[in-house]
């Protein structure tokens, strides 16, 4: 079909042939409008005819279209081939350097050898990991809603035990109780939960646990406290609890796991640990102590605060020669702290090793191997090179050939939250510690600073340790009767 350009003049319509290659439907760079129309374009004034806009009518059958545009369509770009012309490089035809191939072969070969060596190291380490059978001998998830006296006893004392802590340990239900979350061991303020007044706490009052028939200690200092403002002695200003499985559940080689959440508060000292059922080798620390977990309730700004837990073995010829510093370690939590959620605190123990861990036996806080190649604990403590009152310390483990003595006897479990201490666990002069360990008035100094530390304690049971479950296993298969 031929196409014509129609131009309206003063005398009528002139028909000018349009070149066949021009396409009136091609969209130019400017906007065009195509408007269907059934009648001829209207006559416009000469001034409009002189404008750049032109009307083009295209007829097709009974319908015509009016097309307006403002300028001539852009010229199309001439096609140009992208084929390579002339001489050019053809690297795929070039002869390869054989050294490149040897480089690849060497790389692949050494990679395979390296992977093989790495796999062997991993495998040889894996097969040497001790995975003995264990027999569950005690479990308590506190789902009964009570603290079962068949499993637990309370130690009730005011002497602070060997750590000289400032808490009065009780069997009171305000200090140890069970609810749907588990067992709670919670410190309380003495003047808030007893009839002892603030004035009596500091002067003129005698607390006698022996007379009350509840003291678990034997020494007078364990059972009796007297307040005296002149000497600076006061009644223990804080009460807490200390629960033990002594005489009920103990193990000699095996495993212990306690699921617990730790307390919040300055100078709180939560601990999960073990002591020997019998002091076979003498008084502490000659018969040993296994600390599965201990921590401080201070926040993370305090070095060793509640984002840190430690595992420790205490052993030595005398209390002044406790070699715990040779066998202790810590585990840090990089985000948050151990009061935010529950964690598993465990120990695995044999005649070849003891290690403590958090959440996984691979996340160890302490590992101590035993055996002839390490020597006896007396040798490892270098006690023979020391002097006590001009004499070499006596070896308390000399009568046994056991390389892991004193950790070759049965140990029972202890759960407690202590408060303060003059044993050195909280370093003097650090982070505004309000008492001096060597002072006779250390407990009084601690109490005098209560406006500083008491607000840091969590509310309710968050100031205490919550224990969800306790499990103890003997090493070896369960014996069937």
């Amino acid at each position: 079909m031929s196409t014509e350009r129609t131009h309206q003049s003063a005398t009528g319509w002139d028909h000018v042939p349009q070149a066949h290659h021009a396409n009136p439907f091609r969209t130019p760079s400017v906007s065009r409008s195509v408007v269907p129309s059934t009648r001829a374009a209207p006559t416009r004034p000469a001034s409009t005819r002189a404008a750049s806009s032109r009307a083009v009518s295209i007829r097709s059958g009974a319908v015509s279209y009016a097309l307006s545009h403002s300028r001539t369509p852009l010229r199309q770009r001439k096609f140009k081939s992208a084929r390579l012309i002339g001489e050019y490089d053809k690297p795929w035809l070039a002869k390869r350097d054989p050294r490149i191939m040897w480089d690849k072969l060497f790389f692949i070969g050494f990679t395979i050898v390296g992977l093989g060596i790495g796999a062997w190291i991993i495998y040889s380490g894996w097969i040497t990991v001790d995975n003995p059978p264990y027999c569950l001998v005690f479990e308590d998830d506190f789902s009964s809603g009570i603290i079962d006296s068949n499993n637990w006893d309370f130690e009730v004392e005011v002497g602070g035990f060997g750590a000289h802590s400032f808490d009065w340990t009780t069997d009171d239900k305000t200090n140890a109780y069970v609810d749907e979350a588990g067992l709670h061991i919670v410190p309380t303020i003495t003047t808030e939960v007893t009839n002892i007044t603030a004035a009596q706490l500091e002067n003129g009052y005698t607390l006698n646990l022996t007379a009350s028939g509840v003291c678990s200690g034997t020494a007078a200092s364990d059972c009796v406290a007297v307040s005296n403002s002149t000497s600076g002695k006061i009644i223990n200003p804080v009460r807490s609890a200390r629960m033990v499985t002594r005489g009920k559940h103990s193990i000699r080689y095996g495993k212990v796991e306690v699921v617990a959440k730790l307390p919040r508060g300055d100078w709180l000292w939560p601990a999960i640990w073990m002591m020997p059922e019998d002091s076979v080798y003498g008084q502490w620390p000659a018969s040993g102590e296994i600390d599965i977990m201990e921590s401080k309730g201070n926040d993370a700004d305090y070095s060793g605060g509640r984002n840190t837990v430690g595992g420790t073995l205490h052993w030595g010829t005398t209390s002044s020669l406790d070699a715990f510093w040779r066998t202790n370690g810590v585990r840090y939590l990089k985000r948050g702290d151990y009061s935010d959620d529950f964690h598993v605190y465990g120990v695995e123990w044999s005649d070849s090793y003891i290690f403590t861990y958090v959440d996984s036996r691979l996340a160890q806080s302490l590992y101590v191997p035993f055996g002839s190649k390490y020597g006896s604990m007396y040798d490892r403590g270098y006690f023979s090179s020391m002097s006590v009152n001009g004499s070499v310390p006596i070896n308390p483990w000399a009568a046994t050939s056991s390389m892991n003595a004193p950790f070759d006897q049965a140990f029972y479990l202890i759960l407690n939250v202590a408060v303060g201490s003059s044993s050195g666990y909280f370093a003097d002069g650090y982070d505004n510690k309000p008492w001096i360990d060597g002072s006779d008035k250390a407990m009084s100094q601690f109490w005098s600073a209560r406006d500083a530390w008491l607000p840091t304690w969590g509310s309710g049971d968050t100031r205490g340790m919550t224990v969800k479950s306790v499990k103890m296993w003997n090493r070896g298969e369960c014996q069937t009767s």
Side-chain angles (χ1 to χ4, degrees), residues 175-238:
N175 298 122
Y177 58 90
V178 173
D179 62 16
E180 63 278 0
L183 167 70
H184 301 280
I185 300 178
V186 182
T188 56
I189 302 302
T190 300
T191 55
E192 294 178 357
V193 294
T194 69
N195 58 2
I196 300 175
T197 67
Q200 291 173 329
L201 190 80
E202 298 181 2
N203 189 55
Y205 189 88
T206 299
L207 175 65
N208 191 329
L209 300 181
T210 301
S212 301
V214 296
C215 188
S216 59
T218 56
S221 58
D222 296 335
C223 303
V224 179
V226 179
S227 59
N228 186 297
S229 58
T230 302
S231 65
K233 300 292 186 180
I234 66 171
I235 304 299
N236 304 63
V238 179

Side-chain angles (χ1 to χ4, degrees), residues 402-458:
S402 175
M403 292 291 103
N404 64 324
F407 304 104
D408 59 347
Q409 303 296 316
F411 279 64
Y412 64 90
L413 183 65
I414 305 172
L415 306 176
N416 76 291
V417 177
V419 181
S421 169
S422 59
S423 67
Y425 187 66
F426 297 97
D428 281 345
Y430 182 73
D431 197 39
N432 299 316
K433 177 185 170 184
W435 73 94
I436 303 299
D437 284 348
S439 173
D440 292 336
K441 300 180 180 180
M443 190 183 299
S444 178
Q445 293 167 352
F446 166 77
W447 176 240
S448 296
R450 60 189 176 276
D451 289 342
W453 51 259
L454 189 55
T456 70
W457 288 17

Side-chain angles (χ1 to χ4, degrees), residues 52-381:
S52 61
S53 179
R54 292 173 294 175
V56 179
S57 177
I58 302 98
R59 297 182 181 277
S60 176
V63 181
S64 66
Y65 294 85
L67 177 63
S68 65
H69 59 84
S70 60
R71 66 178 183 174
T72 305
L74 295 176
R75 185 176 179 180
Q76 291 185 348
R77 188 176 64 180
K78 184 178 179 180
F79 171 77
K80 184 177 180 181
S81 173
R83 293 180 60 189
L84 296 173
I85 300 174
E87 295 295 330
Y88 50 85
D89 292 336
K90 299 179 181 179
W92 58 89
L93 297 179
K95 185 177 180 180
R96 296 187 179 182
D97 189 339
R99 291 176 299 178
I100 297 177
M101 180 60 68
W102 281 110
D103 287 344
K104 291 183 178 179
L105 291 175
F106 277 120
F107 175 77
I108 294 172
F110 281 118
T111 299
I112 293 173
V113 171
L115 290 174
I117 294 174
W120 169 251
I121 293 173
I122 294 172
Y123 174 74
S124 60
W126 176 75
I127 62 176
T128 59
V129 173
D130 193 18
N131 288 288
Y134 287 103
C135 178
L136 184 66
V137 294
F138 170 55
E139 179 178 11
D140 195 349
D141 61 5
F142 306 100
S143 58
S144 64
I146 62 171
I147 299 173
D148 192 342
S149 60
N150 292 315
N151 298 326
W152 303 98
D153 277 332
F154 289 89
E155 292 188 330
V156 180
E157 298 185 21
V158 294
F161 303 91
H164 306 294
S165 60
F166 304 148
D167 53 298
W168 160 11
T169 57
T170 80
D171 58 358
D172 195 278
K173 292 182 179 179
T174 61
N175 298 122
Y177 58 90
V178 173
D179 62 16
E180 63 278 0
L183 167 70
H184 301 280
I185 300 178
V186 182
T188 56
I189 302 302
T190 300
T191 55
E192 294 178 357
V193 294
T194 69
N195 58 2
I196 300 175
T197 67
Q200 291 173 329
L201 190 80
E202 298 181 2
N203 189 55
Y205 189 88
T206 299
L207 175 65
N208 191 329
L209 300 181
T210 301
S212 301
V214 296
C215 188
S216 59
T218 56
S221 58
D222 296 335
C223 303
V224 179
V226 179
S227 59
N228 186 297
S229 58
T230 302
S231 65
K233 300 292 186 180
I234 66 171
I235 304 299
N236 304 63
V238 179
R239 303 191 345 150
S240 190
R242 173 165 160 149
M243 297 171 55
V244 302
T245 65
R246 183 179 53 230
K248 303 177 185 294
H249 303 288
S250 61
I251 60 172
R252 176 182 180 268
Y253 306 145
K255 182 169 70 170
V256 177
E257 285 189 346
V258 178
V259 180
K261 181 165 62 173
L262 303 191
R264 295 172 178 263
D266 288 357
W267 321 121
L268 298 177
W269 182 0
I272 301 169
W273 50 303
M274 304 181 78
M275 288 288 285
E277 281 280 3
D278 299 300
S279 297
V280 173
Y281 299 109
Q283 296 302 308
W284 186 93
S287 291
E289 174 185 325
I290 303 171
D291 295 338
I292 300 172
M293 183 286 303
E294 57 184 348
S295 184
K296 301 178 178 73
N298 303 60
D299 63 24
D301 292 335
Y302 184 93
S303 178
R306 59 178 179 264
N307 65 329
T308 306
V309 295
T312 305
L313 300 184
H314 289 267
W315 50 284
T317 57
T318 63
S319 59
S320 62
L321 295 179
D322 179 14
F324 75 93
W325 55 274
R326 297 184 184 274
T327 51
N328 70 335
V330 297
R331 192 81 189 172
Y332 300 97
L333 198 62
K334 294 181 179 179
R335 295 183 179 181
D337 59 59
Y338 290 101
S339 70
D340 292 334
D341 206 349
F342 288 92
H343 294 270
V344 178
Y345 303 100
V347 60
E348 286 195 26
W349 171 30
S350 76
D351 59 353
S352 300
Y353 59 80
I354 290 181
F355 67 83
T356 60
Y357 57 91
V358 181
D359 292 328
S360 166
R361 65 199 302 259
L362 299 178
Q364 297 173 0
S365 54
L366 168 72
Y367 183 88
V368 179
F370 302 122
S372 57
K373 76 177 195 176
Y374 304 104
S376 69
M377 299 303 286
Y378 188 83
D379 295 332
R380 294 171 74 167

